[in-house]
């Protein structure tokens, strides 16, 4: 069974750093692109960027380039999304999802989401 | 970036009636070499992650009820629910995967 399990909810202060994770199982992790999607409170879905865990090829949406870093550790089947200095506007639910290959094409499996709250 | 625009933003339909959601892309998402439209539809219920319903504009994901159908080509697409059930209350999103960033529409909230 394909599963993407994300790390738990986080509460942080502005200016702090954060790294959230997404662990894949039930499939060959290195053969599928993993993407990250932001959903701000009460709002829609925003595609942030993707990574191919086998070689760490990464592509960012221009809206998120320079704001976050996407990485992966293929030895433990885990992808990451990190911030060096959080802002209140980063408060959102963040989903990881698996892209159908070879594309990458649409998302076929999603993680449960990680809620990030940034507040002083 | 390709801009995806859905209409309407919200929709109320009676049980058993048809629901239609439209999605328009700012440029064609039809890939000429394989004649495929790089367009997917997702359903998101409250408190849950999205789930794919339709991909390649008209291919239903395994396990998705056949009351859901997708149509369209090029820049104009439609998601149709032929006979609305109570469990279909959700927000529906289209997404293009023709070129990065793989943008979503703003969502359509479907209510009874």
């Amino acid at each position: 069974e394909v599963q993407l399990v994300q790390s738990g909810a986080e509460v942080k202060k502005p200016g702090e750093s954060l790294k959230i994770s997404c662990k894949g199982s039930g499939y060959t992790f290195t053969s599928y692109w993993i993407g990250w999607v932001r959903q701000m409170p009460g709002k829609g879905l925003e595609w942030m960027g993707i990574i191919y865990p086998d070689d760490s090829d990464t592509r960012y949406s221009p809206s998120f380039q320079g704001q976050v870093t996407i990485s992966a550790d293929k030895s433990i089947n885990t992808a990451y999304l990190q911030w060096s200095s959080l802002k209140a506007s980063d408060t959102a639910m963040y989903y990881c999802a698996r892209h159908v290959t070879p594309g990458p094409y649409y998302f076929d499996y999603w993680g449960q989401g990680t809620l990030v709250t940034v507040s002083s | 970036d390709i801009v995806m625009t859905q209409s309407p933003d919200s929709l109320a339909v009676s049980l058993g009636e048809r629901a239609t959601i439209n999605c328009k892309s700012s440029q064609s998402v039809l890939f000429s070499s394989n004649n495929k439209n790089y367009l997917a539809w997702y359903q998101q219920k409250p408190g849950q992650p999205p789930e794919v319903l339709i991909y390649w504009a008209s291919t239903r994901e395994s396990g998705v009820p056949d009351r859901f159908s997708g149509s369209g080509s090029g820049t104009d697409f439609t998601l149709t629910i032929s006979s609305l059930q109570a469990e279909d209350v959700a927000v529906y999103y289209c997404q293009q995967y023709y070129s990065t960033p793989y943008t979503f529409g703003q969502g359509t909230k479907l209510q009874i």
Side-chain angles (χ1 to χ4, degrees):
Chain A
E1 178 195 7
V2 174
Q3 284 193 308
L4 295 172
V5 178
Q6 298 185 229
S7 50
E10 302 274 0
V11 180
K12 292 289 190 179
K13 290 181 167 43
E16 292 186 330
S17 62
L18 176 64
K19 192 173 189 178
I20 62 175
S21 66
C22 169
K23 184 174 177 62
S25 63
Y27 72 100
T28 302
F29 186 72
T30 50
S31 297
Y32 291 81
W33 292 81
I34 290 286
W36 288 94
V37 175
R38 183 174 78 175
Q39 188 166 38
M40 299 177 77
K43 301 299 184 182
L45 305 173
E46 299 175 90
W47 188 93
M48 301 175 71
I50 54 175
I51 188 165
Y52 193 66
D54 191 43
D55 60 7
S56 289
D57 183 12
T58 309
R59 305 175 192 176
Y60 293 92
S61 165
S63 299
F64 292 93
Q65 180 86 46
Q67 308 305 307
V68 296
T69 301
I70 295 171
S71 61
D73 185 341
K74 63 183 180 181
S75 70
I76 55 171
N77 290 358
T78 301
Y80 301 98
L81 179 65
Q82 69 179 88
W83 295 259
S84 59
S85 180
L86 286 160
K87 302 184 280 289
S89 57
D90 292 317
T91 295
M93 180 71 81
Y94 293 89
Y95 294 103
C96 66
R98 189 183 82 163
H99 274 285
V100 170
T101 55
Y105 299 136
Y106 57 95
F107 291 123
D108 60 351
Y109 288 92
W110 293 69
Q112 82 277 20
T114 296
L115 181 61
V116 174
T117 303
V118 183
S119 174
S120 53
Chain B
D1 299 3
I2 297 177
V3 177
M4 307 299 290
T5 304
Q6 292 181 227
S7 61
D9 289 336
S10 63
L11 182 62
V13 175
S14 300
L15 290 173
E17 296 299 304
R18 176 184 299 259
T20 301
I21 299 170
N22 300 301
C23 174
K24 188 174 183 68
S25 57
S26 61
Q27 64 188 74
S28 176
V29 298
L30 174 63
F31 197 43
S32 56
S33 66
N34 60 10
N35 201 37
K36 286 187 171 185
N37 288 284
Y38 284 48
L39 189 284
W41 288 96
Y42 299 87
Q43 176 192 65
Q44 186 179 30
K45 295 182 178 179
Q48 297 184 21
E51 293 184 353
V52 65
L53 296 173
I54 304 284
Y55 53 91
W56 302 126
S58 61
T59 302
R60 198 180 304 113
E61 174 74 332
S62 175
V64 172
D66 62 7
R67 64 180 179 272
F68 291 91
S69 63
S71 62
S73 185
T75 61
D76 292 279
F77 301 92
T78 301
L79 173 70
T80 301
I81 308 172
S82 60
S83 178
L84 191 71
Q85 304 300 304
E87 61 265 32
D88 300 335
V89 169
V91 180
Y92 293 84
Y93 296 93
C94 60
Q95 182 201 26
Q96 63 81 18
Y97 46 97
Y98 183 88
S99 66
T100 59
Y102 288 171
T103 43
F104 292 91
Q106 79 277 16
T108 295
K109 186 173 185 178
L110 179 58
Q111 299 171 292
I112 304 294

